[in-house]
Amino acid sequence: MRLRIVPVFFGLALMLAAPLATPSHAAIKIIVNDVPITDYDISQRARLITMTQRKSASIAKKQAEEELVDDQVKLAEAERVGIDVSKSEVDNAFNNIARNVKMSPAQLSKALRSGGVQPDTLKERLKAQLAWNQVLRSRFSGRIEVDESDVIAALKKTDEEDRQKSVEYDLKRVIVVVPKNSSGGFKSKRKNESNQIRAAFDGCDESGAILGKYSEVVVQPIGRRLETELPEDMRAEIEKMTPGKLTKPSTTPVGYEMIAVCGKREIASDIAVRTELENELRQKEGESQSRRYLLEIRRRSTIIYR
């Protein structure tokens, strides 16, 4: 199951700028397994919900209360099964959100504060989400199945043309080697060379002359792969490419890696659309199991509203 970190930040320029409540003046409103949730916690989460989801104040407050209860239930379950989310994991998730909205972490923190939300409010939400994701992987990994009859029923609803074809790629891996302890200057030089190779690359059959201009460039055949066999991020980039081109350089432990699309063809098969439908059904079943699991552990928890 993929972790859904947080909705995209809408209208950052329209964030509220009301003064923050003082934590020392906060009153306890809910207790979950001996962990207090204060009116300050609720106010902060409600502001975050308003900023990210454009909910009204009353709806955001109610949602904030339920989210905070669920978060404490999830964290307690994570602790029970021996899962602990580190500060660095939370910080990485926070930094990823900043990157997704084209900000630095410092800029995102400033934007949150300008809307009346402390950055730790978002980080606390992220910690609960990360912990819950690990709990779900531990509990359900490899055990979420879908019925063949459901797959067939979904397949019948798709277009006939889509059911009868899949896309197959012929791929090679091009690696511009960077030794482990290389200096920052050398890494920058190799990154530039990778981009030069990508710009000049115009077909796998003619690549020898181009690659021969650079030292320590390794070509590894990947072979033929169906679109459904590719990682999602790679698939999204390759689908937009024409044969004979390279993907953008990505950093790996051995250097900068690019994928060459040497060939592309449609084959008579419903495997691509079938796999996609199976994944969608598996995700829905996973979400359903997650909800049932959360309800189960909520019933076991001690929740007191004051």
Side-chain angles (χ1 to χ4, degrees), residues 12 21 24 49 64 81 107 113-114 117 122-123 135 142 163 173 189 227 241 298 302:
L12 288 172
S24 60
I49 290 169
V81 299
Q107 288 172 327
R113 290 191 183 97
S114 74
V117 178
L122 174 54
K123 290 183 178 182
V135 169
R163 291 203 301 268
R173 184 178 286 110
K189 174 177 177 292
E227 54 189 318
M241 295 170 55
R298 272 189 69 132
T302 302

Side-chain angles (χ1 to χ4, degrees), residues 129-190:
Q129 290 176 331
L130 291 166
W132 186 239
N133 191 57
Q134 291 184 38
V135 169
L136 294 176
R137 281 203 301 267
S138 173
R139 183 177 177 91
F140 297 119
S141 179
R143 283 181 275 175
I144 298 177
E145 301 295 337
V146 295
D147 291 335
E148 177 69 11
S149 59
D150 292 335
V151 177
I152 293 173
L155 198 59
K156 288 179 179 178
K157 295 178 182 178
T158 61
D159 292 338
E160 179 72 22
E161 184 179 352
D162 290 337
R163 291 203 301 268
Q164 293 180 349
K165 66 181 182 183
S166 296
V167 179
E168 182 186 70
Y169 298 97
D170 184 14
L171 306 173
K172 288 184 180 179
R173 184 178 286 110
V174 177
I175 303 171
V176 179
V177 178
V178 179
K180 186 175 181 180
N181 297 320
S182 298
S183 67
F186 184 76
K187 290 178 181 177
S188 179
K189 174 177 177 292
R190 296 298 272 173

Side-chain angles (χ1 to χ4, degrees), residues 173-176 234 247-252 255-259:
R173 184 178 286 110
V174 177
I175 303 171
V176 179
M234 182 189 296
T247 61
K248 296 176 182 177
S250 61
T251 306
T252 72
Y256 294 106
E257 177 180 298
M258 297 169 283
I259 304 299

